[in-house]
């Protein structure tokens, strides 16, 4: 039996204030970026997904309030570098609405709060508890932990960089097991990613991105495909995914990631408040 995403193409409620109010933003950029995401939601809403998909979560919908706070707080100006994840994890963005959004980092370092609703269809083994979730997402803790160590304050990171996911949907098997887009049947996977890649092109152009760093092999590959031939040219590189399912990441992800950022010429952007631009390796 095919499963349709059971989310609406826009937010289902009016945000009612967050734990920490967003800073003043540039509506033409932040709000435009959010509008792009709602357009993507509307397009994805038309798709159906057969087995092995049992349940689909879209945190851009039910966690709209913290997600909007993240974008309006940290997407205030053009971004030279976009770190691109693939799709939400069950204990990260699925709980907080923030990419790689491990709860403690989102609340205590990024300073993002807001109401998280219950998804229209919730798997009993994967409840959405929002910022009350007590299970830490290892990938998110590793990812943001690195930039917290390098930058000190989030404003230093977001001066030049932003973090986003190619696909906003979390896929769960009937058992509750997390499914990545790579686990989907080929036809549905290509339909899904074609829509997401078109949205990525628009988002990259809107933000003025010059370098996309795909976090994980699949995100890098799909970004290369999506952005090929774009003018002005956008450089695409890769970064090892911090997943605990990766033996390589478990051997020392932070050290490997620091080395890769050094190779890409990004450390000056992340360790000071200077206006240096990333160099081409």
């Amino acid at each position: 039996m095919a499963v349709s995403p059971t989310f609406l193409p826009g937010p289902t409620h009016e945000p009612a204030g967050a734990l920490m109010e967003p800073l003043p933003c540039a509506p033409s950029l932040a709000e435009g970026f959010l509008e792009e995401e709602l357009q993507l939601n509307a397009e994805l809403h038309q798709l159906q997904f057969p087995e092995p998909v049992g349940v689909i979560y879209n945190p851009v919908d039910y966690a709209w309030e913290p997600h909007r706070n993240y974008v309006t707080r940290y997407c205030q100006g053009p971004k030279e570098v976009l770190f691109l994840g693939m799709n939400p994890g069950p204990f990260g963005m699925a709980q907080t609405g923030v990419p790689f959004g491990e709860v403690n980092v989102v609340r205590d370092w990024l300073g993002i709060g807001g109401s998280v609703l219950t998804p229209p269809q919730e798997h009993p083994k994967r409840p959405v508890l929002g910022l009350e979730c007590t299970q830490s997402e290892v990938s998110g803790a590793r990812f943001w932990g690195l930039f917290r160590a390098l930058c000190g304050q989030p404003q230093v990171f977001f001066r030049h960089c932003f973090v986003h996911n190619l696909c906003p949907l979390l896929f769960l098997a009937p058992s509750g097991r997390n499914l990545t887009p790579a686990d989907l049947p080929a036809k549905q996977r290509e339909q899904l990613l074609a829509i997401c890649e078109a949205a990525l092109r628009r988002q990259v152009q809107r933000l003025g991105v010059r370098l996309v760093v795909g976090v994980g092999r699949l995100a890098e590959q799909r970004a290369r495909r999506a952005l090929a031939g774009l003018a002005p040219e956008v450089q695409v590189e890769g970064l090892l995914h911090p997943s605990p399912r990766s033996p390589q990441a478990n051997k020392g992800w932070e050290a490997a990631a620091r080395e890769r950022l050094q190779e890409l010429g990004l450390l000056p952007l992340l360790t000071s408040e200077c206006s240096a631009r990333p160099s081409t390796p």
Side-chain angles (χ1 to χ4, degrees), residues 22-38 64 67-79 162 203 206-207:
L23 298 175
C25 63
S28 61
L29 186 64
E31 295 301 326
F33 189 88
L34 290 166
E35 288 173 7
E36 290 281 5
E37 292 191 292
L38 295 180
W64 170 254
H67 179 75
R68 189 182 74 166
N69 288 344
Y70 164 72
V71 174
T72 56
R73 185 175 179 84
Y74 292 121
C75 195
Q76 298 180 26
K79 306 295 181 181
F162 196 61
Q203 291 158 342
R206 179 177 293 275
L207 297 182

Side-chain angles (χ1 to χ4, degrees), residues 30-79:
E31 295 301 326
F33 189 88
L34 290 166
E35 288 173 7
E36 290 281 5
E37 292 191 292
L38 295 180
Q39 178 182 336
L40 175 59
N41 269 12
E43 295 177 20
L44 295 180
H45 187 62
Q46 307 302 315
L47 301 181
Q48 291 190 331
F49 298 90
E51 294 182 354
V53 177
V55 178
I56 300 171
Y57 288 2
N58 185 353
V60 174
D61 174 42
Y62 64 79
W64 170 254
E65 188 173 315
H67 179 75
R68 189 182 74 166
N69 288 344
Y70 164 72
V71 174
T72 56
R73 185 175 179 84
Y74 292 121
C75 195
Q76 298 180 26
K79 306 295 181 181

